[in-house]
Amino acid sequence: MSRRRHRPLAAAGLLALLLAGAGAAPARAEIDLQITPQSQTVAPGSQFEIQFQVTNASPAFNAFHIIVLFDPNALTTVKLSPLSAQLGALVTNACGSNVNWFHVGAGTDTIDVSMLCAGASTAGPGTIYRMDFLASTTPQLTSISVAADVEFANGGLVVPDVRVLDAAVGIGMTPTLDAGGPAAGGALALAAWPNPARGDV
């Protein structure tokens, strides 16, 4: 008898919980990835560093895949030795044993990093990777961007949303445009930016 009496109460409690949560949309997991500095001036022929930073309090991840796009006539990748020097503190502090596959291409470099420590993961904000480039000897404006198929995962589950801010580089000149758009003032000029581009330009 007592079992029958409690069933309606339990069902009513479960229904109340379901109804209470029905109007609340679940928070969408996302990672904000930014190439920093977003805008910089470097001397012709000089070597300089960029960093890939997760700028928000992101969901946890233990692996990521990034394709870096740039103009090979303006920039040349400099592979650091040891390669582990390219890993950011957000990765190395979470796990001391990592797969760090870095493939240098012609204007397209590929980064694949996975943590090998059992149960290890990390979350932003912080630096996940760094790269060095050699600037051309020709003054020019150029950009560094991330391809649209960027992915972060945790235990094999992909984080659904990754938002990226690209970077502008002025070789021997101050960038008149940055990843956010044109600078104020100056003569009227039109340009596709970033170039190469992913998504809207």
Side-chain angles (χ1 to χ4, degrees):
M1 289 293 281
S2 62
R3 192 177 292 172
R4 284 184 184 174
R5 282 181 190 156
H6 288 311
R7 267 188 199 158
L9 293 174
L14 179 60
L15 182 60
L17 285 172
L18 290 173
L19 290 175
R28 188 166 178 84
E30 63 184 30
I31 289 176
D32 291 333
L33 179 65
Q34 179 175 308
I35 301 174
T36 60
Q38 269 196 280
S39 180
Q40 66 176 311
T41 302
V42 300
S46 67
Q47 185 171 325
F48 66 97
E49 179 183 282
I50 62 162
Q51 295 186 358
F52 296 87
Q53 295 184 336
V54 174
T55 58
N56 65 323
S58 71
F61 59 89
N62 61 8
F64 54 88
H65 166 78
I66 299 172
I67 295 179
V68 187
L69 306 175
F70 57 93
D71 181 355
N73 295 314
L75 303 173
T76 303
T77 303
V78 178
K79 200 171 184 178
L80 300 184
S81 182
L83 187 60
S84 58
Q86 294 188 191
L87 291 169
L90 205 58
V91 174
T92 56
N93 289 345
C95 178
S97 180
N98 300 284
V99 171
N100 179 17
W101 190 82
F102 181 65
H103 176 73
V104 176
T108 305
D109 295 347
T110 304
I111 303 165
D112 282 293
V113 173
S114 296
M115 297 180 190
L116 297 179
C117 305
S121 64
T122 190
T127 300
I128 59 168
Y129 211 79
R130 56 175 49 89
M131 284 178 62
D132 275 22
F133 286 97
L134 183 66
S136 74
T137 55
T138 305
Q140 58 187 295
L141 297 175
T142 191
S143 67
I144 303 170
S145 59
V146 171
D149 64 346
V150 57
E151 281 190 346
F152 284 72
N154 191 32
L157 299 176
V158 174
V159 178
D161 254 351
V162 181
R163 300 184 302 185
V164 181
L165 285 175
D166 300 326
V169 179
I171 301 174
M173 59 179 68
T174 302
T176 55
L177 297 173
D178 60 26
L188 176 64
L190 296 177
W193 195 269
N195 182 20
R198 65 176 178 80
D200 294 341
V201 177

